[in-house]
Amino acid sequence: MRVLTAALALFVSLSAFAKPIAERADDVSPLLNGQNIPQVNVVTIDNEKKSLNEFLGNKKTILFFYRGGWCPFCNTQMGQLKKIEGKLAKMGYQLVGVSTDGPADLKKSVEKLDLQYQLLSDFNSEISQAFGLAFFSSKKVTERYLAAMKLENPLQKNKAGEERLVLPVPAIYLIDEKGLVQFNYVNPNFKVRLDENVLLAAAKAAM
């Protein structure tokens, strides 16, 4: 009985942070500055499951959400972040990316872009939902991405009961050692990403 009670308490504590999936990218309600990161589980590139807090290890972190390795705008952003990773590391920050790619596709991105920073799989959109970034793609976008990109992501039902692909609004979070958000950039327009020099300035200011 105690085990069941403990398991139920853990489920409640984790699910309490989950936010509804927005109907459109413009309708997301992202985690804001001054708020603590949610208690949510993550899946590593080696397909290991652990809590986000455990994974970050009380280190200052630049956590960025991108759609997937199939997205050219995301690949460009990942390359730009790669260029400033050394400068961020000197300021004490680790760089971590989150996308709907599965572990196998994450490994492809690491090899293709020769990345040194870590990537996490959010295949079921649980992390992006906890951060308030998850939204339902339109029927047209869902069909096009599943066909053209050959995505295998699980579809979820929106309020109308229609099955849609769930994606994260691209975002960047600057998180301190205590898990507190010091800076965030969230833009529903997936073609526009935060300039790396602005990120460097924000990281320096947060020191």
Side-chain angles (χ1 to χ4, degrees), residues 17 31 35-40 52-53 56 63 131 173 175-176 178-181:
F17 289 91
L31 197 69
Q35 294 184 306
N36 286 302
I37 60 174
Q39 299 179 39
V40 62
L52 178 59
N53 281 320
L56 298 184
L63 187 71
F131 273 77
Y173 282 91
I175 303 164
D176 67 16
K178 298 180 180 179
L180 193 69
V181 176

Side-chain angles (χ1 to χ4, degrees), residues 29 77 80 98 105 116 121 126 129 136-137 145 147 158 163 179 186 188 192 199 203 205:
S29 300
Q77 178 191 32
Q80 292 171 338
V98 181
D105 286 326
Q116 300 300 315
S121 172
E126 294 176 358
Q129 188 174 350
F136 288 108
S137 297
Y145 283 7
N158 59 15
E163 291 192 326
V186 181
V192 180
L199 177 58

Side-chain angles (χ1 to χ4, degrees), residues 44-165:
T44 71
I45 196 169
D46 295 317
N47 207 24
E48 296 178 345
K49 195 171 185 179
K50 55 181 64 178
S51 72
L52 178 59
N53 281 320
E54 179 186 2
F55 181 82
L56 298 184
N58 299 317
K59 297 178 182 178
K60 292 192 296 185
T61 304
I62 304 295
L63 187 71
F64 69 98
F65 289 80
Y66 66 102
R67 305 194 307 163
W70 46 269
C71 169
F73 298 97
C74 299
N75 285 323
T76 297
Q77 178 191 32
M78 293 167 75
Q80 292 171 338
L81 291 173
K82 174 185 174 181
K83 290 191 299 184
I84 64 171
E85 182 184 11
K87 293 181 180 179
L88 292 172
K90 288 182 179 179
M91 288 188 273
Y93 292 96
Q94 63 179 341
L95 189 58
V96 179
V98 181
S99 79
T100 59
D101 284 342
D105 286 326
L106 293 181
K107 291 179 180 179
K108 291 178 182 178
S109 290
V110 168
E111 294 174 1
K112 177 182 177 182
L113 300 173
D114 190 25
L115 303 178
Q116 300 300 315
Y117 54 80
Q118 302 182 83
L119 300 179
L120 293 173
S121 172
D122 191 24
F123 193 67
N124 293 310
S125 302
E126 294 176 358
I127 311 174
S128 60
Q129 188 174 350
F131 273 77
L133 300 169
F135 72 96
F136 288 108
S137 297
S138 67
K139 181 179 180 181
K140 181 179 180 180
V141 168
T142 295
E143 293 176 346
R144 184 171 76 243
Y145 283 7
L146 291 180
M149 312 299 179
K150 302 188 185 308
L151 301 183
E152 298 178 352
N153 301 58
L155 301 182
Q156 300 189 47
K157 292 184 178 181
N158 59 15
K159 291 181 179 179
E162 302 165 330
E163 291 192 326
R164 294 285 188 269
L165 178 66

